[in-house]
Amino acid sequence: MLLGIYLGDYRLGSNPFVLLRHMIDAPIFSDPEYVSKITGKGMNPLLQNYWMLIHPPVLFFGFAATVVPWAYSLAALTTGDFQTWVKKSLRWSLITTAILGLGILMGSAWAYEALSFGGYWAWDPVENMSLVPWILLLAGVHTHFIVQNTRRGFHSLFTYYILSFLLVLYSTYLTRSGILGESSAHAFTQMGLEYQLVFFLASLAILSISIFFRKYKTIPQIKDEEKLLSREFWLFVAALVLLFSAGLIGFTTSIPVYNKIVNQLSTVLDFNAMKYLKNGPIDPIDHHNRFQLWIAVCICLTSSLALLIPYYTFLTTERIKTTYRIFIVTGIISMSIGGAILYYFPKYTFSNFVLMSSAIGMILMTLLYFTKTNIYGIKTFNNCFTYWLWGFIMGVLISGVYKQYITLSQNISLIENENAESKKHFMLQFGKPSKTESYELNYLAEKTEKPFTTYLISV
């Protein structure tokens, strides 16, 4: 499908390297020197950003690598070998999760630098559908550790890895079919591959699900329940919370797909589809933040607690008391730090305070785990670094509460009806200072070196 093969008059896939003159029969292309006669403004400035060269390839590598854990899972189910694949596939799962997560972080940096997506993360549908497979991979990796150490959770592990790959295919359908064209800021358009992508997704979904359920009874399973105070129990809880998070994001993002299916059915079955159509959230950022914030809190708490407790080990009364003490003392310290921050920065709400305290607690718990454990190796460092990074990312996201637009008190509005959107835009006149509540801006000079134009503004 990437090569864009022609079978007679039928085109299978789309070659991204085909030139425009090969696709459109326009008079201008009859002139061998047509390029010299074209004058334009060049690429969109957002696409001239250096992240354009880094973010998409890294993200694509992460997407493509999800095929390896999926293939290992189907191979294990097909052959019935549920032992050797666990160790071999873990390294690929870690690589895939790390690269895909890095690609998403790069996209956040690009969005923040370009200042066109509302900050680090705007819950754009295309952003969401790169996040959902990564969340499921993250759940799969945590379940993978449980399987490796306790031989529990094979069913969950297969489920997470199969779903993560299938959702990469689903996200490909969403972006390449053009169905998100009216709801996403990403400039993906229809490529004429809609039904091909649906067929591709449906074929691999049927293959994966049929193999999974056909071999379901042969998958190893330990019948007794996990202990409440065991690492595997709390890692299972964290993985389920991640699954719930992915489900919420995926459901909301898929509303355009649902509406399209309803419209198609109404045409075939001849009924009025209006009452069955769904509207997406009016404010997607507020909608997702309202739920995902508390999910992030749950992940911080469950992951922190899992660090304190070993796998499948019977805990003595004294060890249980020590665990509770550490958890409570760390919680008090975290909330004290969070309360101090809340005192100096009053714009934070109670939910922001809870998330901030949870992130601080996770960092403190990881530091305690790293200093108290008797195993100092690359694996211990990697585990701790991942938890530190998660805690710091939560802090970065919380800092977005203080995001504000610099609006002019005497603004020449670019939009006739003054509203919240128009206040994000203002006009600076050359050589004429313009005052805001806190700043005075002065447009001093302009310099053009194709394809870039630089504006000198003093603050």
Side-chain angles (χ1 to χ4, degrees):
M1 294 183 72
L2 286 174
L3 294 177
I5 300 172
Y6 278 86
L7 304 174
D9 294 331
Y10 182 75
R11 178 170 62 99
L12 175 64
S14 177
N15 185 349
F17 302 105
V18 173
L19 298 178
L20 187 63
R21 67 172 181 261
H22 297 152
M23 303 298 295
I24 300 176
D25 186 17
I28 189 173
F29 297 131
S30 62
D31 186 348
E33 303 296 329
Y34 74 91
V35 175
S36 62
K37 298 180 179 181
I38 297 176
T39 57
K41 297 181 179 180
M43 280 203 308
N44 186 311
L46 299 181
L47 300 181
Q48 298 176 31
N49 189 288
Y50 59 90
W51 284 117
M52 175 62 186
L53 300 175
I54 308 172
H55 161 64
V58 173
L59 200 63
F60 185 83
F61 178 26
F63 283 147
T66 58
V67 72
V68 182
W70 170 80
Y72 264 116
S73 300
L74 292 194
L77 288 167
T78 304
T79 61
D81 182 1
F82 299 104
Q83 303 301 323
T84 58
W85 81 281
V86 173
K87 184 176 181 180
K88 292 182 178 180
S89 61
L90 179 58
R91 69 190 69 176
W92 283 99
S93 303
L94 292 172
I95 289 172
T96 304
T97 308
I99 295 298
L100 186 53
L102 181 62
I104 294 171
L105 285 176
M106 288 178 173
S108 298
W110 185 7
Y112 181 76
E113 188 170 304
L115 298 178
S116 62
F117 281 58
Y120 299 103
W121 194 266
W123 294 107
D124 184 85
V126 174
E127 292 178 339
N128 294 349
M129 293 317 297
S130 65
L131 179 67
V132 169
W134 181 77
I135 290 176
L136 289 173
L137 275 172
L138 201 62
V141 166
H142 283 78
T143 309
H144 207 134
F145 288 132
I146 299 173
V147 170
Q148 189 178 47
N149 288 278
T150 68
R151 295 299 170 186
R152 297 176 181 270
F154 277 100
H155 293 82
S156 300
L157 182 59
F158 289 132
T159 301
Y160 291 135
Y161 283 162
I162 289 172
L163 283 178
S164 63
F165 175 66
L166 294 179
L167 282 167
V168 166
L169 300 182
Y170 178 62
S171 66
T172 305
Y173 161 74
L174 290 181
T175 55
R176 297 300 177 182
S177 65
I179 198 169
L180 296 178
E182 296 181 359
S183 58
S184 173
H186 287 75
F188 292 122
T189 57
Q190 186 171 356
M191 302 175 65
L193 305 180
E194 182 174 0
Y195 292 105
Q196 293 181 25
L197 291 170
V198 170
F199 177 77
F200 184 48
L201 171 60
S203 300
L204 293 183
I206 292 171
L207 172 69
S208 305
I209 294 171
S210 61
I211 291 176
F212 177 75
F213 283 106
R214 186 157 51 88
K215 297 289 185 176
Y216 187 85
K217 293 183 179 180
T218 65
I219 300 174
Q221 184 176 8
I222 298 176
K223 294 184 178 180
D224 62 306
E225 297 293 332
E226 300 85 2
K227 302 294 184 183
L228 178 62
L229 285 178
S230 65
R231 181 173 296 178
E232 58 267 29
F233 176 83
W234 290 104
L235 287 180
F236 270 131
V237 172
L240 287 174
V241 171
L242 288 168
L243 178 63
F244 180 64
S245 171
L248 285 177
I249 299 171
F251 175 79
T252 304
T253 308
S254 299
I255 289 177
V257 179
Y258 166 80
N259 289 338
K260 183 161 187 174
I261 293 173
V262 171
N263 285 325
Q264 294 280 7
L265 290 175
S266 67
T267 302
V268 175
L269 302 177
D270 192 23
F271 66 89
N272 185 6
M274 290 302 297
K275 62 179 180 180
Y276 298 103
L277 298 178
K278 302 292 183 182
N279 292 322
I282 297 175
D283 186 352
I285 296 178
D286 179 69
H287 169 79
H288 287 291
N289 285 349
R290 192 185 315 147
F291 299 103
Q292 299 302 322
L293 186 148
W294 294 104
I295 289 174
V297 170
C298 291
I299 293 172
C300 289
L301 294 177
T302 53
S303 300
S304 300
L305 188 57
L307 283 177
L308 294 177
I309 310 169
Y311 288 108
Y312 56 77
T313 302
F314 177 76
L315 297 180
T316 62
T317 304
E318 186 60 32
R319 179 65 183 271
I320 293 174
K321 290 181 179 179
T322 303
T323 301
Y324 281 135
R325 288 194 200 102
I326 294 173
F327 197 74
I328 292 172
V329 170
T330 306
I332 293 173
I333 295 173
S334 303
M335 287 189 289
S336 300
I337 297 174
I341 295 174
L342 188 67
Y343 177 78
Y344 287 103
F345 300 95
K347 281 180 67 174
Y348 288 116
T349 62
F350 175 74
S351 57
N352 299 138
F353 163 73
V354 174
L355 179 58
M356 187 187 309
S357 301
S358 303
I360 294 171
M362 189 175 191
I363 295 172
L364 294 177
M365 197 75 73
T366 308
L367 288 171
L368 181 65
Y369 172 78
F370 186 70
T371 54
K372 293 297 182 181
T373 184
N374 295 322
I375 305 174
Y376 294 98
I378 188 65
K379 291 184 178 180
T380 304
F381 176 78
N382 288 342
N383 291 340
C384 294
F385 177 76
T386 304
Y387 280 76
W388 287 332
L389 184 62
W390 175 267
F392 284 120
I393 288 174
M394 291 299 102
V396 169
L397 294 177
I398 295 168
S399 70
V401 172
Y402 271 81
K403 179 186 70 175
Q404 60 182 341
Y405 295 97
I406 301 176
T407 56
L408 299 180
S409 56
Q410 296 178 345
N411 180 28
I412 303 175
S413 179
L414 301 180
I415 303 175
E416 293 183 1
N417 298 322
E418 187 74 16
N419 52 35
E421 185 65 27
S422 68
K423 292 179 180 179
K424 300 177 184 178
H425 307 275
F426 56 86
M427 183 180 295
L428 285 177
Q429 297 183 30
F430 181 75
K432 183 178 180 180
S434 299
K435 292 184 179 181
T436 67
E437 294 179 359
S438 306
Y439 304 97
E440 179 177 289
L441 307 178
N442 195 0
Y443 175 20
L444 301 177
E446 172 185 326
K447 182 180 180 181
T448 300
E449 294 181 358
K450 291 186 177 181
F452 300 103
T453 299
T454 303
Y455 300 93
L456 180 61
I457 301 172
S458 66
V459 181

